[in-house]
Structures are given as C-alpha cells and as structure tokens.
Amino acid sequence: MKRIIIAGGNIAGTIVANRLAKKLDEELDKGEVEIVVLNPTDEHTYLPGQLLVAYGLENPVELKRKESELLDPRIKFLHGQKGTITKIDVANHSVITADGLSHSYDYLVITTGVDYTWDEVPGYRAAALSPYEYDGALKMREALEKFQGGTIVVNVAKLPHRCPVAPLEMTLILDDYLRKRGIRDKTKIIYTYPTQGVFGRPITNKFMLKLFEERGIEVHSPFNVTKVDPNEKVIESQEGGKLKFDLLLGVPPNMGAKVIEDSGIGDRRRWVPTDKFTLRMKDQSNVYVMGDATDLPVSKAGSTADFESYIVAHNIANDIKGNMGVKHYGGDVLCYIATGTDTATYIRFSYTMNENPPPPSYVHWWGKIGYNKLYWTVTAKAVV
C-alpha cells in the first residue's frame, strides 16, 4: 500500500488531499492507497475572509468550518497531538508527531503554511491591529467602529508575506469605509512598504500608485520597520522615518513554520527550497511543497495553492498509476483586489505572463465575494 502524507490542513492541504482522493478514487476504495492529513487542529479558517470581517463586510461565523467535514471521508485525518508535526525526516521518509509516533510515507506534501513572527519587530504586536489573525480581525473591527478621525498608518513589516494584495485592499477599503462614515476628511491615511512603491509587481504597482494618489493616500517607501512604540504611538524605520499614528494596521513579519527549521529543511526564513515547475522539494523525488511553505517567486495566496494542487495531485497519481504524463506548474496566480467596500479589480499572471488589472468595478467585487462563498462547497472540496 502507498501512503501519502499531507503535512498541514487548511487551504493548501485540504484542496490537495481532496484532489488526490478524486485522482486515486479506485486505489483508495481497494485499499491500495492511504491518504493521511496531519493538522494541529480540527478547525479550518478561510483566511481571505478575515479582512472583510475587520470592516464589518463579512460575518465572522462564515469563516470557520470543521476540517474533518471538508475532507473526503476516505481520507485519514489526525489532529491534536496526533496531528501536530514535530519533525519532518526526509532522509528516512517519515514524519514525527507530538504524540511520539513516527509516520512513514511514500509521498509527502508539505503544506505547513506560515508563522507570524511578531517579535522580530519590538512593540509590533502590542501596537498593531491586524486582520492576518482571526482575533486580530475582530479587534480591528472594534477599533475602527470607535474611530472618529486622526492618522492611520498601514504597515507591511517584511517581504514576502501571505496574501500580497491584502495591504492594498486594507488601505483602499479603509478609504471607502471612512468616506461612507463621513470621516475621511478627518483622517490621514499613510501606507508604508519595505521596497519602493506600494507593491512588488511593476504593472500593479503603477496601477495602484495612481489609485492611491487619486484617493489622497500618502505613501512612504521604502520603509523597513525597526520598532514601534505602543505608548507614544510612533513607528520607526531603518531609513530614519518616524511616523505618529492613532491606529496602526499591520502585516506582521512572516516566516515558514517552525517545524521546517526544526527539521533542517528550510532556508533562513524557513521557506522550503522548491522546484518552480515540478513543485518537488529540491533534491527529493517523493516530497512536494505547496502554498505558503515554498520559496517560489510567486504570491503566497489561496489561488496559488489551488493552481498548484492540480499539478501535485496529478504527478503523484501519475507516479502511482502510470501512463498519465507529467504536468508542470506555470506560476499561475489569480488575485481579486478589493478597491473599496463594493468595488474590486483582479490580477492574473504566471512565470511568463504579466498582469493587466481592469478598472475597479462592482462586477469584480461580486467575483471576489462569489469566490469566497464557493470556497467551502467547490474549491476546498476540489469539485472543479
């Protein structure tokens, strides 16, 4: 029997596990293949919805489901101590969990995501409100409801980070949100970014800079945050910048999961070295890496994981069944970008294709909302 272990649940792990179950339908039924998902918790959070919760545009209860209810019933799911991975041992083709058990694999898919390393920037956690965590999104919503005017700084601590378009969305929704509350003229919005401009891709950067200018949003970049004083409400940068704020909306530093470092398989930021076309871990023929865990030069986004899942599931199934041919990942990404409380644009790009964002409209907003709604029934269950 061939055992496939998925190291991590949530978006990437769930989609690829379900896609594998579809590809290996007969083999699963005959007991020739076992698919095992290991995840610390049975809670599945739809992360892209957290930003909408922060602005009161989504109900928090819509963002959580049980992982066990999303997975194909034939998939073995372990959580709690049994699903918490303490070491990935690629030399011995095994994964160790917190209950002390060793799980051997024929194929491993690493979908361990990111850790938010708040403490890399002194004072950041105490000062910043962030939709990057579920509780943080609820706190941000509360703070914004009470806000009556002043200076709001939107800060991106370090690159790369999960969902690269989210800080743009955070800023543009904020602008519209304040207008609709009648307090935009009493508020200064400042956006800070670690590299020149507001976004890492030149075409989208130019598009967004124009939008920010039209909306009267001040940009400070490059701005690499070194510390935040939560009492004085000041954020400082390596470049010598000091900004006072009434509210700080932040994207905390991101690193790969700690287990990657503990297993000695990541780079210095704990990203796993991954072949950009095959999605195999470098120097490993039976280990694949997906979603936020990779060191690939593509967005760490839910759609990226979705595109990658087709390749990983197909190639593992091809290894097991044969005669299907090998597929390669082309670097495909599709991100909707909310440009207000009811408008959006989107970017679609790959290794060889540049994006061309259309003008913000209501139509693309409904595309974004529709994608969010279909996540539970279509995307997570790998229906398409």
Side-chain angles (χ1 to χ4, degrees):
M1 183 173 70
K2 300 279 186 195
R3 180 186 284 152
I4 305 163
I5 290 182
I6 318 286
N10 232 52
I11 294 179
T14 307
I15 297 173
V16 77
N18 283 331
R19 217 173 278 298
L20 277 162
K22 285 188 165 51
K23 289 262 180 202
L24 297 165
D25 190 53
E26 286 177 30
E27 291 76 5
L28 265 179
D29 285 345
K30 288 180 188 164
E32 294 167 4
V33 166
E34 182 181 44
I35 301 171
V36 184
V37 173
L38 302 172
N39 197 51
T41 162
D42 186 21
E43 195 170 68
H44 184 111
T45 305
Y46 182 59
L47 302 170
Q50 290 176 177
L51 180 61
L52 299 181
V53 163
Y55 288 107
L57 300 169
E58 177 64 280
N59 184 338
V61 300
E62 290 297 315
L63 303 191
K64 291 190 182 282
R65 297 280 191 282
K66 283 210 172 311
E67 178 73 31
S68 45
E69 289 167 11
L70 294 170
L71 292 169
D72 184 300
R74 297 169 298 175
I75 293 168
K76 188 175 176 188
F77 174 52
L78 300 174
H79 58 95
Q81 294 283 89
K82 292 177 179 176
T84 302
I85 302 164
T86 54
K87 190 180 179 204
I88 295 168
D89 184 353
V90 291
N92 293 305
H93 310 293
S94 66
V95 171
I96 320 295
T97 43
D99 58 357
L101 289 181
S102 173
H103 306 260
S104 63
Y105 61 79
D106 296 284
Y107 298 93
L108 174 68
V109 185
I110 298 174
T111 54
T112 44
V114 307
D115 283 348
Y116 301 131
T117 49
W118 292 91
D119 297 338
E120 283 192 82
V121 181
Y124 205 82
R125 189 187 264 290
L129 296 161
S130 180
Y132 272 69
E133 291 180 333
Y134 184 80
D135 292 344
L138 297 176
K139 277 186 195 149
M140 182 171 150
R141 185 179 68 179
E142 208 176 302
L144 284 168
E145 281 168 359
K146 288 178 188 161
F147 184 75
Q148 294 303 322
T151 300
I152 299 181
V153 173
V154 179
N155 170 263
V156 177
K158 277 187 166 57
L159 300 176
H161 60 82
R162 176 180 266 165
C163 194
V165 302
L168 300 170
E169 296 187 293
M170 206 186 321
T171 310
L172 294 167
I173 298 175
L174 175 67
D175 168 73
D176 196 21
Y177 170 90
L178 296 171
R179 282 177 206 282
K180 288 186 173 160
R181 280 192 49 204
I183 55 170
R184 178 63 182 96
D185 57 345
K186 295 179 187 161
T187 310
K188 185 185 208 175
I189 301 175
I190 302 174
Y191 181 93
T192 74
Y193 198 65
T195 58
Q196 194 64 47
V198 296
F199 191 66
R201 293 186 65 86
I203 293 168
T204 302
N205 181 48
K206 195 176 165 190
F207 181 93
M208 286 293 164
L209 276 168
K210 187 169 174 288
L211 219 49
F212 276 37
E213 202 179 316
E214 285 167 8
R215 306 262 190 108
I217 295 159
E218 213 175 282
V219 175
H220 290 240
S221 67
F223 188 102
N224 286 277
V225 59
T226 47
K227 66 173 180 185
V228 185
D229 185 330
N231 302 318
E232 294 296 318
K233 298 198 167 180
V234 173
I235 179 167
E236 296 183 33
S237 77
Q238 198 177 298
E239 293 75 16
K242 278 189 184 189
L243 297 170
K244 276 211 53 96
F245 59 83
D246 294 294
L247 287 184
L248 174 64
L249 309 182
V251 178
N254 284 214
M255 282 175 87
K258 188 171 182 304
V259 68
I260 300 301
E261 182 182 20
D262 295 344
S263 306
I265 58 172
D267 62 16
R268 62 186 188 84
R269 297 292 298 171
R270 313 199 296 226
W271 310 120
V272 182
T274 307
D275 184 284
K276 67 189 276 195
F277 298 114
T278 65
L279 301 176
R280 281 193 174 109
M281 180 180 164
K282 297 250 171 91
D283 305 323
Q284 299 293 326
S285 62
N286 65 342
V287 180
Y288 291 83
V289 195
M290 268 181 57
D292 300 343
T294 75
D295 69 343
L296 298 183
V298 294
S299 299
K300 296 185 183 299
S303 75
T304 310
D306 192 16
F307 283 120
E308 290 169 341
S309 71
Y310 289 94
I311 311 302
V312 172
H314 177 92
N315 289 344
I316 291 176
N318 177 55
D319 260 9
I320 291 169
K321 294 160 78 146
N323 299 327
M324 290 163 61
V326 172
K327 282 190 175 175
H328 288 102
Y329 175 57
D332 298 282
V333 180
L334 167 71
C335 288
Y336 280 102
I337 308 173
T339 50
T341 56
D342 54 11
T343 62
T345 179
Y346 68 87
I347 51 175
R348 170 86 203 255
F349 57 92
S350 67
Y351 293 144
T352 55
M353 177 182 85
N354 280 324
E355 69 277 22
N356 180 20
S361 83
Y362 194 55
V363 175
H364 304 313
W365 170 261
W366 281 107
K368 180 181 175 71
I369 296 299
Y371 185 84
N372 287 357
K373 295 277 180 250
L374 289 172
Y375 174 74
W376 301 114
T377 51
V378 177
T379 315
K381 296 196 171 181
V383 170
V384 179

